[in-house]
Amino acid sequence: MSPSASTDTPPEVLPGLVSMSGKATSVCVLCILWVLLPIQAQESPVSTSAPQPNSGLKFRLAGYPRKHNEGRIEVFYNKEWGTICDDDFTMENAHVLCRHLGFTAATGWTHSAKYGKGAGPIWLDNIICSGTEKSISDCKSRGWGNSDCTHEEDAGVICKDEKIPGFIEHNIIETEQKQVEEVRLRPVISSAKNRLPVTEGILEIRHRDSWGQICDVGWNQKNSRVVCGMLGFPSDKRVNKNFYKKVKKRAATKRSPKAASVKLRAVTKKTASKQSPKSASVKPRLYLEKQQPSFRLHTVRCVGTEVHLSLCPMEFYKTNGTAACEGGAPVVLGCALGHRAAAQGAIKKKKVVQQQQQEELIRLKGGVHPGEGRVEVMKKGQWGTICDDRWDLQAASVVCRELGFGSAKEALTGARMGQGMGPIHMNEVRCLGTEGSLLECQYKNITEEDCKHSEDAALRCNIPYMGYEKTIRLFGGRTRYEGRVEVLWGPSGAERWGLVCGEGWGTLEATNVCRQLGLGYASSALQETWYWDASNTTEMVLSGVRCTGREMSLEQCSHHSSVSCKNTGTRHAAGVICSETASDLVLHSSLVQETAYIEDRPLHMLYCAAEENCLSSSARHANWPYGHRRLLRFSSQIHNNGRADFRPKAGRHSWVWHECHGHYHSMDIFTHYDMLTPNGTKVAEGHKASFCLEDSECQELVSKRYECANFGEQGITVGCWDLYRHDIDCQWIDITDVKPGNYILQVVINPNFEVAESDFTNNAMKCNCKYDGHRIWIHNCHLGDAFSEEANKRFEQYRGELNNQIL
């Protein structure tokens, strides 16, 4: 339902909606949807203890919170309910299990006990299905009851909400479900639904596929805090209760239309927005006048630290909801917008700017959407990560609210948002949920033996619904993750769908589109889309789009005031291919510091380097082959800490062969090397083409996938790194013309954003250096965003070493 839809249509999902489908770890099971289907079990070719011929398997969805078509998958075998381990779990497994449950297919699956940890045995592990099996027992597995998993690895499924025709409904055993599936705020004034996010209105809950209200008798601020957290807001706010009392009284008295119009204009004068002369004569529509409240819930008693309303004690009405809640009214709720959400374009105030300028002590890295990412904290002027031991929703919610979002909907472990670099500051974090900052929670300081970056904690927060996806769409692609970009553009009331000019369209712009549509990252930014099916949209309405990577929608990026595109045909419209994951390249900064040295290299050994423009411009005027060039050499070790392999933008068919060095270049410019003055002026530069992107070494249990030998595939696998040794051509900066002084050495990976990454802010590395004309001192090498702002300011004002000792 769009924001402008009338409220007397059947209840649907409205702005201000939050779902229970994003549940994470550590939530107790309060109710279970039991879906039982007797199955004639067959002997599995691999199982060591397959069901007996006459035994029946039963299946159910469990966990909490969730919707009716999703949850932790549980199996009844050998007279006991148990779970399934997520090891080697695939969509094919999920399809088979969803058909057991009476659904036509699966749309997704979950791991790491997203719907809470189950109980009892773990019946199946390492299941391998083709997707066509009639029974899960026909799939390969380790055998019934043979597992090395814990309940922290319980698998879940998300089934398509479509039942198999002829499915036997009496096999569904449904208990009294004491759970709330979704919540939303419905504005009292219909026109208020056009303003997003919705921060005030009547609270409605979804229970058993219908919407209803909560009785406000006994409702308190702690309950409001929990609900606002679900809706993406850090806290609640006071509402004008007198206004809502008048609205309730007006709805109950049902006066004549003429009297109602006069009274209503007096009541809503301060609340309704300014109306045009034409609209002022039209009676605003009140939700309570059109629909009698239907109460579903009462006596809610939250502590205030719960991450979901369903975790609070509550009571459901069993009688007619319209006759319930004697002496009460529907709960009216107001939520306060956090400064992060305001900065995303919802509200711009001076106070918000001041809050952003304050030194931050916590941040999220590696996430594509606001309110998600790897958690990093500032301690002693340096950013570091958090170990995931005992990481749960309570601690994650403290972080979310501290950052200006709502409560946490997922607490992620195992570096699900990529691995960080540098120190690990905290371990075994335990929060009550009332803390104002994560640093107020109990935690342990750790040693290197306690945790590794493969255990970095991450999270996903509830964020306010902004409706950004309503103004953009993809068309013509093979899947929903790709297509020609079409935007809803034009003045209010006269919007039309149009195309985006492909000239200058790049990775940052494409990533913005994928983020806006909730499709992750951009794996490809396409400047021509002639090979995709055409649509009825042929007009070019937007050109000159330039994004920084921080915008929430394409309209927030800079663009031409009027369309200016050389090629306005549909074949030159911009397109994208999106991906749920992306790589993340990070330079090993300490290795640069350890391997840096100066070499005076004879010119007769630099012909190939000159051909690839690896020397400064003054080398053209040198007396070749006599003389030499002074080179600052160092090694580069580039790690892929993301969640997808780093692959060159161009395929092998378009790689460039360099005869002199005898190798292919898959990317013309892979790395920039610069020597800067303390004020940022460039005095020397170099660059490195990706002549061989390969896996030099990998972490434990990670296998190499890319090797350059014999025209092999190039790339860097997740968990591996590529090493460019200091003795390779072009692995240097030509400092022949640099005068003695204090400088900054800067290395930037993927400088032109040719390949999408989950985080571009960690692609730059800086070092202090002092050059006396004969020797050079390199120290304090660090990633560009590794230090606090204060430490970075000290770094830039560095005055140089006063002796030969490296501090």
Side-chain angles (χ1 to χ4, degrees):
M1 180 183 283
S2 66
S4 59
S6 174
T7 53
D8 41 8
T9 57
E12 297 177 359
V13 178
L14 287 174
L17 168 68
V18 65
S19 170
M20 295 176 56
S21 61
K23 173 67 186 70
T25 58
S26 303
V27 178
C28 60
V29 179
L30 300 182
C31 70
I32 297 176
L33 171 64
W34 299 45
V35 183
L36 311 180
L37 179 61
I39 296 175
Q40 189 69 25
Q42 300 178 7
E43 185 76 19
S44 172
V46 179
S47 299
T48 59
S49 56
Q52 298 300 318
N54 295 324
S55 66
L57 294 179
K58 301 176 183 179
F59 298 85
R60 69 185 182 189
L61 292 175
Y64 194 66
R66 61 179 178 83
K67 295 183 179 179
H68 68 282
N69 59 328
E70 63 177 315
R72 182 178 63 252
I73 184 70
E74 296 192 351
V75 186
F76 187 77
Y77 168 73
N78 198 23
K79 300 181 180 180
E80 189 173 4
W81 285 103
T83 62
I84 296 177
C85 182
D86 60 12
D87 290 350
D88 296 330
F89 206 90
T90 63
M91 276 294 293
E92 287 72 22
N93 300 353
H95 285 312
V96 175
L97 291 166
C98 283
R99 288 197 294 271
H100 277 318
L101 296 164
F103 298 98
T104 57
T107 60
W109 63 276
T110 65
H111 57 86
S112 303
K114 176 180 178 179
Y115 298 100
K117 293 185 289 186
I122 299 176
W123 282 128
L124 293 171
D125 189 6
N126 298 111
I127 303 176
I128 302 176
C129 301
S130 65
T132 60
E133 293 85 355
K134 294 183 179 180
S135 170
I136 195 67
S137 60
D138 295 334
C139 302
K140 296 179 180 180
S141 71
R142 298 182 60 164
W144 290 90
N146 184 7
S147 172
D148 59 357
C149 298
T150 67
H151 282 295
E152 292 182 349
E153 302 170 84
D154 285 344
V157 294
I158 305 170
C159 301
K160 184 178 181 181
D161 195 5
E162 180 180 329
K163 287 290 185 178
I164 297 175
F167 180 71
I168 305 174
E169 292 294 336
H170 65 259
N171 281 335
I172 297 179
I173 299 176
E174 185 172 344
T175 61
E176 178 67 19
Q177 295 188 50
K178 299 299 184 182
Q179 70 173 28
V180 177
E181 293 187 7
E182 301 168 359
V183 299
R184 68 183 180 187
L185 290 181
R186 183 186 285 270
V188 173
I189 306 298
S190 299
S191 61
K193 291 187 297 181
N194 294 324
R195 298 190 293 271
L196 294 177
V198 177
T199 60
E200 183 178 320
I202 294 174
L203 175 61
E204 294 191 332
I205 64 168
R206 186 171 182 174
H207 173 62
R208 291 190 172 184
D209 297 327
S210 62
W211 291 92
Q213 291 77 44
I214 302 177
C215 181
D216 66 354
V217 176
W219 186 266
N220 57 38
Q221 188 269 340
K222 293 179 179 179
N223 300 340
S224 299
R225 185 176 189 269
V226 173
V227 174
C228 286
M230 293 174 61
L231 295 169
F233 305 101
S235 61
D236 63 308
K237 67 177 183 181
R238 291 186 177 183
V239 297
N240 185 353
K241 293 186 177 181
N242 290 330
F243 166 75
Y244 288 97
K245 288 180 179 178
K246 293 178 181 178
V247 170
K248 176 189 174 184
K249 183 178 179 181
R250 177 67 193 94
T253 55
K254 296 183 180 180
R255 295 175 181 174
S256 63
K258 182 176 180 180
S261 178
V262 174
K263 179 68 176 178
L264 182 60
R265 282 196 295 270
V267 172
T268 61
K269 183 177 181 181
K270 294 184 179 180
T271 304
S273 59
K274 293 182 178 180
Q275 300 176 350
S276 63
K278 181 178 179 180
S279 62
S281 60
V282 180
K283 184 183 84 168
R285 308 189 69 186
L286 288 182
Y287 164 64
L288 288 178
E289 281 191 323
K290 296 177 295 177
Q291 182 175 333
Q292 287 291 326
S294 177
F295 294 101
R296 301 294 175 84
L297 201 61
H298 67 99
T299 319
V300 180
R301 299 180 299 275
C302 296
V303 177
T305 59
E306 296 88 348
V307 298
H308 200 281
L309 188 64
S310 293
L311 302 179
C312 303
M314 64 184 74
E315 296 183 24
F316 284 81
Y317 284 108
K318 296 182 179 180
T319 57
N320 184 0
T322 58
C325 195
E326 183 177 354
V331 169
V332 175
L333 186 64
C335 298
L337 192 65
H339 64 278
R340 291 296 181 95
Q344 294 166 18
I347 297 178
K348 296 181 179 178
K349 295 182 178 180
K350 184 176 181 180
K351 183 178 180 181
V352 172
V353 176
Q354 291 175 348
Q355 287 176 321
Q356 288 181 300
Q357 291 176 346
Q358 295 177 357
E359 180 76 15
E360 294 182 336
L361 298 178
I362 195 163
R363 69 183 182 184
L364 301 179
K365 301 283 284 185
V368 64
H369 303 292
E372 70 174 32
R374 179 179 62 254
V375 183
E376 297 189 354
V377 294
M378 172 73 70
K379 293 186 71 176
K380 297 180 180 179
Q382 187 173 8
W383 288 102
T385 61
I386 298 175
C387 187
D388 62 10
D389 291 349
R390 303 184 72 177
W391 181 249
D392 61 10
L393 283 169
Q394 289 285 61
S397 291
V398 172
V399 174
C400 289
R401 293 184 188 272
E402 182 179 357
L403 292 173
F405 301 108
S407 54
K409 59 182 178 181
E410 287 188 81
L412 305 173
T413 59
R416 287 275 304 281
M417 290 292 176
Q419 298 184 25
M421 297 286 283
I424 301 175
H425 286 320
M426 304 170 71
N427 187 25
E428 296 191 19
V429 180
R430 304 301 294 170
C431 299
L432 299 175
T434 57
E435 296 86 352
S437 171
L438 188 71
L439 297 177
E440 298 175 9
C441 300
Q442 295 182 355
Y443 64 90
K444 292 183 179 179
N445 294 314
I446 67 172
T447 63
E448 294 182 359
E449 291 76 19
D450 292 328
C451 272
K452 299 179 181 179
H453 282 295
S454 59
E455 302 171 80
D456 284 344
L459 53 77
R460 287 193 177 98
C461 304
N462 289 312
I463 63 173
Y465 177 75
M466 300 298 298
Y468 289 128
E469 78 284 354
K470 295 181 178 295
T471 59
I472 195 167
R473 67 188 183 189
L474 300 182
F475 186 88
R478 297 161 295 182
T479 69
R480 70 186 187 95
Y481 284 89
E482 65 180 28
R484 187 180 300 106
V485 179
E486 298 183 0
V487 294
L488 190 62
W489 207 256
S492 179
E495 298 93 341
R496 65 194 186 280
W497 287 100
L499 305 175
V500 180
C501 179
E503 294 174 12
W505 185 258
T507 300
L508 295 180
E509 291 73 35
T511 297
N512 192 293
V513 171
C514 295
R515 180 193 300 120
Q516 188 173 348
L517 288 168
L519 299 177
Y521 307 90
S523 60
S524 297
L526 309 171
Q527 297 185 357
E528 293 186 10
T529 53
W530 52 269
Y531 37 80
W532 280 334
D533 294 338
S535 69
N536 295 329
T537 304
T538 58
E539 181 186 5
M540 201 78 72
V541 298
L542 192 60
S543 64
V545 180
R546 290 291 182 274
C547 301
T548 64
R550 297 185 296 270
E551 298 86 355
M552 290 306 304
S553 66
L554 206 62
E555 64 183 14
Q556 295 177 2
C557 302
S558 63
H559 53 82
H560 293 157
S561 56
S562 58
V563 177
S564 176
C565 190
K566 293 180 181 179
N567 301 300
T568 56
T570 56
R571 64 172 296 165
H572 297 285
V576 299
I577 300 177
C578 303
S579 173
E580 292 183 349
T581 58
S583 59
D584 183 20
L585 298 186
V586 182
L587 184 67
H588 193 306
S589 55
S590 61
L591 185 64
V592 174
Q593 181 173 313
E594 295 167 2
T595 58
Y597 64 96
I598 289 178
E599 178 191 10
D600 290 335
R601 193 166 183 82
L603 284 174
H604 69 84
M605 301 176 67
L606 294 173
Y607 279 104
C608 286
E611 180 185 310
E612 295 191 13
N613 296 319
C614 295
L615 302 175
S616 63
S617 57
S618 63
R620 302 172 187 171
H621 309 293
N623 186 21
W624 292 79
Y626 308 104
H628 66 273
R629 304 297 294 181
R630 175 156 291 182
L631 308 176
L632 170 59
R633 310 196 70 145
F634 50 87
S635 298
S636 295
Q637 185 172 296
I638 300 169
H639 295 245
N640 182 1
N641 289 349
R643 292 183 290 157
D645 294 352
F646 183 91
R647 299 298 307 280
K649 179 181 179 181
R652 284 194 292 181
H653 64 281
S654 58
W655 293 354
V656 179
W657 173 257
H658 282 256
E659 185 68 32
C660 191
H661 277 131
H663 56 232
Y664 286 93
H665 284 187
S666 56
M667 294 173 64
D668 287 337
I669 298 179
F670 178 59
T671 313
H672 275 170
Y673 307 137
D674 298 316
M675 185 78 81
L676 311 173
T677 63
N679 64 7
T681 303
K682 188 182 299 185
V683 295
E685 63 180 354
H687 76 274
K688 185 70 175 178
S690 62
F691 71 85
C692 180
L693 283 174
E694 66 177 2
D695 298 326
S696 301
E697 295 291 342
C698 297
Q699 297 175 1
E700 187 178 358
L701 303 179
V702 178
S703 301
K704 298 180 181 179
R705 299 181 60 183
Y706 303 103
E707 188 176 1
C708 297
N710 301 320
F711 195 43
E713 289 287 353
Q714 294 192 23
I716 306 177
T717 304
V718 176
C720 298
W721 57 87
D722 188 11
L723 176 63
Y724 284 87
R725 287 174 50 88
H726 56 83
D727 53 1
I728 297 176
D729 258 9
C730 298
Q731 188 62 37
W732 63 57
I733 299 178
D734 185 352
I735 62 171
T736 306
D737 306 319
V738 175
K739 298 178 180 180
N742 301 314
Y743 298 98
I744 294 175
L745 169 63
Q746 178 176 276
V747 180
V748 183
I749 310 168
N750 192 17
N752 297 334
F753 311 109
E754 290 189 29
V755 178
E757 297 186 45
S758 59
D759 187 5
F760 286 112
T761 62
N762 58 10
N763 282 26
M765 184 222 67
K766 295 181 179 180
C767 303
N768 283 127
C769 58
K770 177 180 175 62
Y771 177 50
D772 66 359
H774 305 284
R775 299 165 298 178
I776 194 163
W777 290 266
I778 305 290
H779 69 104
N780 200 19
C781 293
H782 65 280
L783 297 179
D785 66 342
F787 290 166
S788 65
E789 291 185 10
E790 182 180 352
N792 279 328
K793 289 179 180 178
R794 291 198 303 267
F795 176 88
E796 294 171 357
Q797 295 172 356
Y798 165 71
R799 298 176 57 187
E801 297 295 340
L802 301 179
N803 53 50
N804 291 341
Q805 296 181 353
I806 305 299
L807 297 181

